[in-house]
Structures are given as C-alpha cells and as structure tokens.
C-alpha cells in the first residue's frame, strides 16, 4: 500500500516523518519536495508539505498524485494531516481527531438570512466522507475521536464565530485549513482520503499563550506511529 500524507508546513511534515523512515527526498514539479519512504517500508508513507490553505493543499496534492500516476505507481490513500483547533470540550489540547466528514465550512454565500453553503446555491460540494471502516480502525489505533473536521480559509478568532460554526456543524470536533482541498484533489484522482488532526489550540478567541503546538506535533508523531498497524488491519 502506498499512502500520500499531505501537511501544510515543514514542522508538521517532520512530525509525521519522525514516526517512520528512512526517507529520501524527491523533487516534484512546481518546486514541491516529497519525502519518499524507503522501499522496504510497508505501508509506504510519502510525506509532502503542500502549503497553507485549501487551494495550496489541493495544488500540492494534485501534483503528487499526477506524478505518481505518470510513473505508473499510484497511491492507494491520501491523508491530510497536521495540527488544528479543537472545539471544546470534545477535542481538548493534545488530543487526536480523525475526520468522518471533511467539510468546507465557509464555501458558499452570506445572505440576509445567514450563510448558504455552495450546494444550496445549486452547484459544487461541501463535504467528503472517508470510508467509515477506515475511520474507525485509525481512531481505535490512535486513541482518536471521530467527527467532523471543518476546513476554513480564515482561522476562527472570536466567540461569535465559534458559536456560529458549532450551530451549523454540531458534530464538528476540529477546524483546520487544508483538509477539503486535499480531499478535492484526491476525489479528482479517484483515491480515498482521510484526515488526521491533533489539537494545538481551542477554537475561539485567539490566545497564543494557551497554544500547545509542541504537544500537538508530538501527538501527530504518535498518531502516525499507530497508522501502519491500522492500515494493515
């Protein structure tokens, strides 16, 4: 099994790589650098830092998937991974979340009556649903909670916005900025997708002093240490 793991930034990529290895670096078109697992690794986890936000994530994922397809060595699974905000109290700092739904929370239109998702405007999609059996296996192996992970282009920074998102998405456990972009690219290539997030901060008013980025990155390494066993099962 070949798995492409897409993070936003190098620190997240390195946290994922710390769970396995050794890795070789491979240059891809567009200036991307893929950390490719050694041939003996099974399942083989290749890791790419694709950039921040859904558009960058989609572009980086599509580039890696296309390169693999052209080399006649396609991926079997794409995983969007990294740290993110957790909705308290369901997803506390340092916890792990596996998405059972990857939702674009701000893709749509504002109206006098509130937000309308793009689907209610008559086009597009706003959600991808990973395979439930895979979600359960990975959640069990990593000690994660399973629930909706929201993709936003602007990180939530107020109590009012937090309440709005929670009301529109009552099953949301976390928010991040890349999952939906990764899922869109994976869907275009016909490859299953998964999203794994570890919680570095609470969704709500910004309080940098309360963030626990180091703890979240350590949790990300631990989660990916458990992933191969879940995929084998």
């Amino acid at each position: 099994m070949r798995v492409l793991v897409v993070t936003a930034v190098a620190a997240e990529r390195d946290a994922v790589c710390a769970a396995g290895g050794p890795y070789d670096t491979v240059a891809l078109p567009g200036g991307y650098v893929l950390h490719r697992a050694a041939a003996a690794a099974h399942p083989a986890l290749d890791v790419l830092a694709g950039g921040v936000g859904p558009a960058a994530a989609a572009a980086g994922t599509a580039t890696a998937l296309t390169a693999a397809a052209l080399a006649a060595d396609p991926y079997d699974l794409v995983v969007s991974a990294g740290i993110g905000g957790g909705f308290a109290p369901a997803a506390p700092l340092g916890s792990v979340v596996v998405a059972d739904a990857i939702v674009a929370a701000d893709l749509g239109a504002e109206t006098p009556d509130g937000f309308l998702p793009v689907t209610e405007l008559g086009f597009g999609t706003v959600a991808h649903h990973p395979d439930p059996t895979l979600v359960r296996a990975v959640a069990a192996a990593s000690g994660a909670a399973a629930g909706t992970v929201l993709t936003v282009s602007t990180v939530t920074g107020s109590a009012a916005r937090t309440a709005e998102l929670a009301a529109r998405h009552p099953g949301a456990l976390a928010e991040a900025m890349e999952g939906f972009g990764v899922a869109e690219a994976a869907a275009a290539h016909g490859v299953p997708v998964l999203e794994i997030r570890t919680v570095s901060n609470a969704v709500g008013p910004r309080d940098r002093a309360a963030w626990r980025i180091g703890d979240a990155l350590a949790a990300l390494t631990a989660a990916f240490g458990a992933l191969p066993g879940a995929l084998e099962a």
Side-chain angles (χ1 to χ4, degrees):
M1 173 180 258
R2 292 195 69 216
V3 181
L4 174 65
V5 182
V6 183
T7 71
V9 297
E12 294 167 328
R13 177 201 65 206
D14 293 346
V16 172
C17 289
Y23 288 87
D24 300 319
T25 57
V26 179
L28 297 179
Y32 297 105
V33 177
L34 182 72
H35 281 55
R36 177 169 290 165
H42 187 76
L45 303 181
D46 295 351
V47 192
L48 176 73
V52 175
T61 304
T63 298
L65 290 174
T66 299
L70 291 174
D73 193 13
Y75 289 101
D76 302 294
L77 175 68
V78 180
V79 183
S80 176
I83 65 177
F87 285 89
L93 299 185
S95 64
V96 184
V97 173
V98 178
D100 61 13
I102 302 169
V103 176
D106 51 13
L107 182 60
E110 292 290 348
T111 78
D113 298 319
F115 178 81
L116 284 180
V118 71
T119 49
E120 293 189 25
L121 301 175
F123 53 90
T125 185
V126 294
H128 292 274
H129 297 277
D131 178 79
T133 301
L134 179 60
V135 170
R136 287 193 296 270
V138 173
S142 59
T148 299
V149 176
L150 304 180
T151 299
V152 296
S153 294
T154 301
V155 173
T156 300
S158 69
R161 175 66 169 164
T162 303
E164 177 195 351
L165 288 175
R168 284 201 281 118
H169 305 283
L173 294 182
E175 74 166 22
M177 300 180 74
E178 293 79 31
F180 187 78
V182 172
E184 284 280 273
H189 282 259
V191 182
V193 70
L194 190 68
E195 183 170 10
I196 300 173
R197 294 286 165 180
T198 55
V199 178
S200 59
N201 58 280
V203 176
R206 289 172 65 82
D207 179 8
R208 292 292 296 270
W211 292 7
R212 298 292 180 267
I213 292 177
D215 292 343
L217 291 173
L220 192 63
T221 300
F224 273 84
L227 182 64
L231 296 181
E232 292 282 358

